[in-house]
Structure formats: C-alpha cells, structure tokens
C-alpha cells in the first residue's frame, strides 16, 4: 500500500518510519521552544501538569466481619451456564 501527498507516492512502511522519526524530534523541539518563550518573557516555565497532594488513607478494622458480598450460589452461576 502506498500513501500519497500532493501526487507523490511513498510506501506505507516508509511513511510510518518518517512519522516515528518526526515524533521523536517533536517533543524535544517543543520543550526547547517553550523554554525560549519563557526566557523571552523573563518568567519561569509553567509546570507541565497540576498535581494534587496525595490523600491520606486510613483503614480501621470493623469490630465484626462484614457480611459476604456474594453467596456461594452467586459464585457458582458461571459454572452452571
């Protein structure tokens, strides 16, 4: 199979190879451009994501074990299909 751009055809494998090479180039290039913009403005670069502090988890054992979520009959139904 061939892929065409503006009347020029190239094999699909070659197009995929070019796409992979360009993807590897884009991330560092975008980072570099963002850093240049930040330097031009005289500000620090913005963080890439917003993070919330992790919530503290507590776990207390119940005084009595909880009722079973499933009965034996509930768990056997797939075998009876």
């Amino acid at each position: 199979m061939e892929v065409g751009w503006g009347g020029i055809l190239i094999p699909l494998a070659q197009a995929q190879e070019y796409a992979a090479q360009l993807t590897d180039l884009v991330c560092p290039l975008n980072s570099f451009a963002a850093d240049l913009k930040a330097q031009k403005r005289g500000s620090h670069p913005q963080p890439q994501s917003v993070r919330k502090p992790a919530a503290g988890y507590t776990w207390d054992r119940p005084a009595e074990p909880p009722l079973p979520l499933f009965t034996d009959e509930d768990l056997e139904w797939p075998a009876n299909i």
Side-chain angles (χ1 to χ4, degrees):
M1 179 174 193
E2 294 182 337
V3 179
W5 289 282
I8 300 171
L9 295 176
I10 61 172
L12 181 61
Q14 189 176 8
Q16 290 172 336
E17 182 181 336
Y18 288 156
Q21 291 173 352
L22 289 173
T23 301
D24 293 341
L25 177 66
V26 168
C27 291
L29 188 57
N30 284 341
S31 178
F32 177 70
D35 191 42
L36 286 179
K37 287 179 186 178
Q39 288 179 15
K40 184 177 178 181
R41 290 186 199 123
S43 64
H44 298 288
Q46 296 294 321
Q48 296 295 325
S49 63
V50 176
R51 297 195 184 266
K52 295 182 180 180
Y57 293 99
T58 58
W59 180 69
D60 294 324
R61 281 199 171 140
E64 295 182 23
L67 298 174
L69 294 176
F70 304 102
T71 65
D72 290 337
E73 189 176 292
D74 292 335
L75 298 174
E76 292 174 2
W77 77 266
N80 296 330
I81 295 179

